[in-house]
Amino acid sequence: MREKILSNAAELFLNYGFKSITMDDISNHLGISKKTIYQHFDNKTSLVEAVSLHVFENISCGISGICALKKNPIEEIYDVKQFVLEHLKDEKSSPQYQLQKYYPKIFSTLKKKQFEVMQECVKDNLTRGVEQGLYRSNINIEFISRIYFNCMVTLKDKELFPLNNFSMNTLMEYYLEYHLRGICTEKGLLTLHKFINNQS
């Protein structure tokens, strides 16, 4: 039952936001009493925390699976982007931004975990890109991996990038091209152009 509550609550939170969904909404959606939910979670905050970690673990496993394929590093970046968007419902409800605003402690814990996972994946991507001649050999991998993570977090700031002006998919497309153009060799740019053309 705990897993069922987690997966259903995750779907509701991602579609409508952490703030607007109540425990009543979740119990009605599941067709169970609130008492049943409270047998597994003390309150809404503990449920939000469990859901956040549940979604994080699912996405982390998926990203690790993509990275394990050791694809062309440029293709890998776009595959990760697509996977994340699909699992976060295109971030229509700005879950990360809402988490930061209404549940700052949970957000802080999650951000540290995200950084650890992304650092490993991005540094591996950058290293392989350099080895394959797609990325410039003189890039500072430690610096770029940290800037990459910080920019990805900033894209989710709805005050800076309102959803009525930019969809999350559009923002990520813009940022990935911006990121790759800054580090690609001529060979890498040819690969990037082919990939962009195939996407459109």
Side-chain angles (χ1 to χ4, degrees), residues 22-197:
T22 64
M23 296 298 255
D24 284 317
D25 294 326
I26 295 165
S27 66
N28 290 337
H29 183 75
L30 280 162
I32 60 173
S33 68
K34 277 200 294 185
K35 186 179 176 184
T36 305
I37 298 175
Y38 286 124
Q39 286 173 352
H40 298 276
F41 305 97
D42 292 338
N43 48 44
K44 184 181 174 183
T45 300
S46 67
L47 177 58
V48 167
E49 183 173 23
V51 164
S52 299
L53 292 172
H54 172 76
V55 171
F56 167 77
E57 293 295 342
N58 285 344
I59 290 175
S60 294
C61 284
I63 290 174
S64 295
I66 292 169
C67 293
L69 297 173
K70 303 293 183 189
K71 288 185 173 183
N72 175 299
I74 293 171
E75 185 180 351
E76 179 182 274
I77 283 180
Y78 281 95
D79 283 356
V80 168
K81 180 215 76 164
Q82 195 56 42
F83 175 82
V84 170
L85 283 178
E86 285 168 8
H87 281 74
L88 291 180
K89 315 286 185 188
D90 199 22
E91 304 224 354
K92 294 183 189 76
S93 66
S94 319
Q96 189 140 327
Y97 181 62
Q98 286 203 3
L99 205 61
Q100 184 176 8
K101 190 171 182 182
Y102 302 110
Y103 301 93
K105 285 186 178 177
I106 298 172
F107 172 79
S108 180
T109 302
L110 195 64
K111 187 177 175 184
K112 286 175 187 169
K113 288 179 176 289
Q114 287 172 335
F115 177 71
E116 287 164 9
V117 170
M118 273 188 72
Q119 269 291 89
E120 188 177 335
C121 185
V122 174
K123 282 164 90 170
D124 178 68
N125 180 282
L126 291 168
T127 301
R128 286 188 296 111
V130 170
E131 288 169 354
Q132 294 174 29
L134 298 170
Y135 304 155
R136 290 183 290 108
S137 61
N138 62 341
I139 62 172
N140 185 311
I141 288 173
E142 187 67 34
F143 171 77
I144 291 172
S145 64
R146 288 169 184 269
I147 284 288
Y148 183 86
F149 174 79
N150 196 52
C151 288
M152 279 295 186
V153 171
T154 304
L155 290 182
K156 295 166 186 175
D157 183 334
K158 296 307 157 219
E159 289 174 4
L160 199 56
F161 297 108
L163 274 178
N164 55 342
N165 292 350
F166 307 94
S167 74
M168 184 50 65
N169 184 60
T170 301
L171 279 175
M172 290 184 82
E173 287 284 336
Y174 286 164
Y175 176 64
L176 291 184
E177 185 177 349
Y178 174 84
H179 163 72
L180 288 166
R181 284 188 183 280
I183 63 173
C184 276
T185 59
E186 286 188 24
K187 178 184 174 183
L189 287 174
L190 287 173
T191 306
L192 175 62
H193 292 154
K194 281 180 192 172
F195 202 79
I196 291 171
N197 292 334

